[in-house]
Amino acid sequence: EAEVAQSPRYKITEKSQAVAFWCDPISGHATLYWYRQILGQGPELLVQFQDESVVDDSQLPKDRFSAERLKGVDSTLKIQPAELGDSAMYLCASSPGVSFTDTQYFGPGTRLTVL
Amino acid sequence: GEDVEQSLFLSVREGDSSVINCTYTDSSSTYLYWYKQEPGAGLQLLTYIFSNMDMKQDQRLTVLLNKKDKHLSLRIADTQTGDSAIYFCAESGGSQGNLIFGKGTKLSVKP
């Protein structure tokens, strides 16, 4: 069964360092989402791509976060510089399209700890 | 704004039924979802219901939707220890299909 892949699974970094997370969506899925899940909370959308284009990044802290999906396939989320408050689980999800009938499938996530 | 609320904890005994409740605010939500998250893992879609439905049953899972009260529930029959996890309610609140999640209900199943 096809799955969303994410790496690394765990990342520990010191504040002010740069970190990057990678996501490979299910093959053929045009829509890719990055969510942040703070401990004890539900996931919150950071950025949404349709193919290689950003369709929603209203909740992305653009002073330190960036995301790209250059070829419309895999995606990278970067934080520079990392802050203590960025400690969270970063989840990637993909879906065939943006219709409400298009189920989002989630990867296992990258757990980030900022010291 | 859009908001999804859930109770944070539920404890049941193995073999009993579990009922997890959720309220949402966006009356225009087309689909409502239940996701399961096991420790250290991503989210697994359990089931979803279209907003023009009242009930959906899928094996041990029953979803009830009261659109008037904006209330959604997930019933798990014959709850097993493997059902212990955090359950998230989500609504399709965004124009681009993005999901708005509740904070999750931690289900503990005692043997």
Side-chain angles (χ1 to χ4, degrees):
Chain A
E1 181 177 307
E3 295 180 342
V4 176
Q6 289 188 249
S7 68
R9 292 293 308 276
Y10 304 92
K11 179 69 177 178
I12 299 174
T13 191
E14 293 183 343
K15 63 179 181 179
S16 80
Q17 296 298 305
V19 292
F21 314 130
W22 178 78
C23 171
D24 191 13
I26 293 173
S27 178
H29 279 195
T31 308
L32 185 147
Y33 307 82
W34 282 102
Y35 289 87
R36 177 170 60 185
Q37 185 181 19
I38 296 170
L39 190 63
Q41 306 283 324
E44 294 180 320
L45 181 71
L46 289 175
V47 61
Q48 177 183 345
F49 290 92
Q50 180 69 20
D51 299 312
E52 67 277 5
S53 300
V54 173
V55 296
D56 186 352
D57 63 355
S58 57
Q59 300 303 312
L60 188 72
K62 298 180 188 64
D63 57 335
R64 298 185 300 108
F65 285 65
S66 63
E68 60 183 18
R69 194 185 183 198
L70 294 176
K71 297 182 179 178
V73 181
D74 58 338
S75 176
T76 302
L77 178 69
K78 296 179 181 177
I79 309 174
Q80 182 174 18
E83 296 180 354
L84 295 178
D86 297 331
S87 293
M89 176 81 90
Y90 290 83
L91 295 165
C92 180
S94 71
S95 66
V98 295
S99 167
F100 296 124
T101 58
D102 289 316
T103 300
Q104 293 186 30
Y105 295 89
F106 283 79
T110 295
R111 181 167 293 284
L112 174 66
T113 302
V114 182
L115 303 175
Chain B
E2 301 145 346
D3 197 14
V4 177
E5 296 199 356
Q6 305 176 236
S7 53
L8 296 182
F9 301 99
L10 177 65
S11 181
V12 300
R13 292 209 174 272
E14 192 174 17
D16 289 349
S17 291
S18 307
V19 179
I20 302 171
N21 295 300
C22 168
T23 58
Y24 61 98
T25 56
D26 188 354
S27 59
S28 65
S29 291
T30 307
Y31 280 88
L32 295 137
Y33 304 82
W34 284 104
Y35 280 85
K36 175 183 180 183
Q37 186 176 37
E38 296 182 3
L43 277 70
Q44 172 195 357
L45 178 67
L46 285 179
T47 188
Y48 61 90
I49 187 167
F50 190 49
S51 60
N52 68 353
M53 297 170 64
D54 297 325
M55 185 182 82
K56 180 179 180 181
Q57 188 156 2
D58 184 1
Q59 299 182 0
R60 293 191 297 123
L61 305 178
T62 302
V63 179
L64 295 177
L65 175 61
N66 181 328
K67 196 172 182 181
K68 174 177 172 289
D69 294 337
K70 300 193 186 87
H71 182 267
L72 183 73
S73 68
L74 173 69
R75 178 177 180 270
I76 305 173
D78 186 25
T79 312
Q80 302 298 307
T81 55
D83 295 324
S84 293
I86 300 176
Y87 291 80
F88 290 93
C89 171
E91 62 174 347
S92 53
S95 60
Q96 296 292 335
N98 58 291
L99 300 176
I100 309 297
F101 287 87
K103 292 184 178 181
T105 299
K106 184 174 183 179
L107 174 64
S108 298
V109 182
K110 299 178 181 179

